[in-house]
Amino acid sequence: MRDFNLSRRQFLKSTAAVAAAGVVPTSLVKVALASPAESFTFAYISDAHIQHIKGTSFVRNWDRGLIRAAAETNLLEPKPDFVLFGGDLAQLGTKAELDHGAEIMSAVGYKTYYVMGEHDYYLDLGEYWSKLFGPQYYSFDHKGVHFVVLNSVLTFDDWTFNRWPTAEQRMLEMAGLDNPNGSPFMVGDKQREWLKANLDKVSKGTPVVVVSHSPLQKIYKGWNFWTEDAEQIQALLKPFSKATVLYGHVHQIHYNQIGNITFHSVMATAWPWPYPQSYAQAQHHLPEITVPINRADPFFERDATGWQFIDAATGRVTMRYNLYNNTGRTVAFNTTTGRPEDRIYQDPARRILPQLHY
Ligand SMILES: [Fe+2]
Ligand SMILES: [Fe+2]
């Protein structure tokens, strides 16, 4: 297994000042290409859910998570080449929330690319977000890697335009996690056509990293851990020898391998979502190899938030999660079984049972 240029110890040393109180809710991603000179890192911050109360008041815990992430990103050594924000900057998509989130993120000292989340989108269909951050889908190339950012939280026109008396009602309906009035996310025809044309121009040996808010794989429809046209996106990625999909939204650790495509979620700065019992009770496609976070401690607001490294040197990723208030994890591709595995946690004999609280 290849080691990281930026070791965990170096990282922790450089972030000791702000890490002392708890969590580092930033994901640092290392992309290593064939030539070591071209290796680079980028940081990933996601799901801040900045929530307005009234006047100049915002929910303090969510503010704090994002402020920490911004501060710690600035302390990374070596410095990341850029930062990705993975969506759900706001909770209910208001100008106050987006402005406040943008102001906190303005402390980040690096070029930042933004991804649209459903909490950012469904109040005004992304209008104000686009004023602040630009296009809702785009691509860029960085040191030999082709990055694509998609807006994966679109849905059927009938749901978006015809169903709700107000925009606020539409936003609230989409913001509910377990809401039967919700609608599945999708990338949609227009963006898929754009994506096809975009990827047609990229040589199939070029590493491609696709960034979305919802997972471009179908995990659990009841909670919209799901993208309706995931298979069609996966088909467009199939010709590439190195394809990675990174997503936020789920506030959990997931990883999976579908054919040539490696999937990884990134952590939220706001809160973790549980792994519900309903996974076992309702229709789902939860990948068997997904590793639940060993938690949850309801008395620790930052439980299961954290940061991670990704080493993509071989075209298969090795990911090291550093979870605060929890044991660190390494998920590496096992060439014998042909899938990513956490060999420590997935050994049933070593698994720690869920905690009980009374
Ligand atoms: Fe979120
Ligand atoms: Fe989301």
Side-chain angles (χ1 to χ4, degrees):
M1 187 185 299
R2 223 175 149 276
D3 217 341
F4 297 103
N5 289 344
L6 169 57
S7 74
R8 199 165 124 176
R9 184 173 301 170
Q10 282 171 320
F11 179 90
L12 291 174
K13 217 188 276 177
S14 68
T15 58
V18 281
V23 72
V24 180
T26 307
S27 311
L28 184 74
V29 182
K30 179 174 188 298
V31 179
L33 301 178
S35 157
E38 290 184 315
S39 295
F40 65 95
T41 61
F42 59 99
Y44 212 119
I45 303 170
S46 196
D47 290 86
H49 290 265
I50 296 301
Q51 189 168 3
H52 192 209
I53 301 170
K54 61 179 178 182
T56 56
S57 295
F58 292 84
V59 173
R60 175 176 154 274
N61 282 354
W62 315 153
D63 274 21
R64 247 179 25 180
L66 187 59
I67 290 165
R68 289 177 66 95
E72 289 156 5
T73 299
N74 288 337
L75 292 174
L76 287 172
E77 188 61 48
K79 296 181 185 313
D81 283 14
F82 56 86
V83 172
L84 267 157
F85 185 85
D88 286 353
L89 179 62
Q91 172 65 9
L92 292 174
T94 63
K95 282 185 185 177
E97 290 175 352
L98 289 167
D99 279 342
H100 189 54
E103 190 185 346
I104 295 172
M105 283 298 292
S106 72
V108 172
Y110 307 103
K111 162 76 181 165
T112 303
Y113 295 96
Y114 287 85
V115 183
M116 181 73 82
E118 83 278 16
H119 287 261
D120 306 317
Y121 183 75
Y122 277 96
L123 182 64
D124 66 356
L125 305 180
E127 193 181 325
Y128 192 63
W129 186 99
S130 292
K131 268 187 196 147
L132 291 175
F133 305 123
Q136 298 177 19
Y137 57 95
Y138 52 94
S139 70
F140 61 95
D141 293 289
H142 190 82
K143 295 183 179 172
V145 177
H146 186 65
F147 288 85
V148 178
V149 175
L150 297 175
N151 177 355
S152 66
V153 298
L154 303 177
T155 195
F156 301 104
D157 283 356
D158 182 53
W159 194 97
T160 303
F161 298 108
N162 302 331
R163 198 157 299 192
W164 312 110
T166 62
E168 287 76 12
Q169 183 67 26
R170 178 178 59 201
M171 178 71 254
L172 282 171
E173 295 289 354
M174 195 52 107
L177 185 67
D178 207 358
N179 182 356
N181 295 328
S183 190
F185 295 139
M186 59 183 72
V187 171
D189 297 343
K190 188 176 154 199
Q191 258 183 104
R192 285 203 319 275
E193 274 166 34
W194 171 85
L195 179 63
K196 185 179 183 318
N198 182 283
L199 292 179
D200 277 349
K201 291 182 229 144
V202 180
S203 83
K204 302 307 173 255
T206 301
V208 173
V209 177
V210 177
V211 177
S212 60
H213 182 66
S214 55
L216 297 177
Q217 57 175 334
K218 291 176 169 174
I219 298 171
Y220 181 59
K221 197 168 190 177
W223 284 17
N224 251 351
F225 290 2
W226 187 275
T227 303
E228 193 76 359
D229 48 1
E231 290 92 344
Q232 288 157 277
I233 309 285
Q234 290 169 19
L236 295 176
L237 292 172
K238 205 169 180 183
F240 290 89
S241 54
K242 292 177 185 173
T244 302
V245 172
L246 303 174
Y247 56 92
H249 182 61
V250 295
H251 303 208
Q252 301 176 341
I253 290 177
H254 294 159
Y255 56 88
N256 196 21
Q257 184 80 32
I258 300 177
N260 61 319
I261 309 168
T262 306
F263 295 83
H264 286 278
S265 64
V266 295
M267 297 274 83
T269 63
W271 67 78
W273 285 124
Y275 292 85
Q277 280 300 306
S278 50
Y279 271 174
Q281 295 164 355
Q283 182 199 18
H284 70 83
H285 295 255
L286 187 70
E288 273 177 38
I289 50 178
T290 291
V291 177
I293 305 167
N294 181 28
R295 56 175 177 82
D297 181 350
F299 303 105
F300 183 62
E301 72 199 23
R302 292 278 178 260
D303 193 24
T305 54
W307 55 279
Q308 64 225 45
F309 292 106
I310 299 172
D311 182 338
T314 63
R316 307 285 192 188
V317 303
T318 297
M319 180 171 289
R320 296 182 188 185
Y321 297 95
N322 195 330
L323 298 166
Y324 278 79
N325 205 35
N326 212 320
T327 310
R329 301 280 163 72
T330 295
V331 180
F333 193 82
N334 182 334
T335 49
T336 308
T337 58
R339 63 185 192 180
E341 289 176 359
D342 176 342
R343 295 206 196 181
I344 293 175
Y345 189 75
Q346 287 184 244
D347 176 354
R350 302 178 74 163
R351 192 167 296 184
I352 300 165
L353 294 171
Q355 301 161 54
L356 289 177
H357 292 280
Y358 299 95

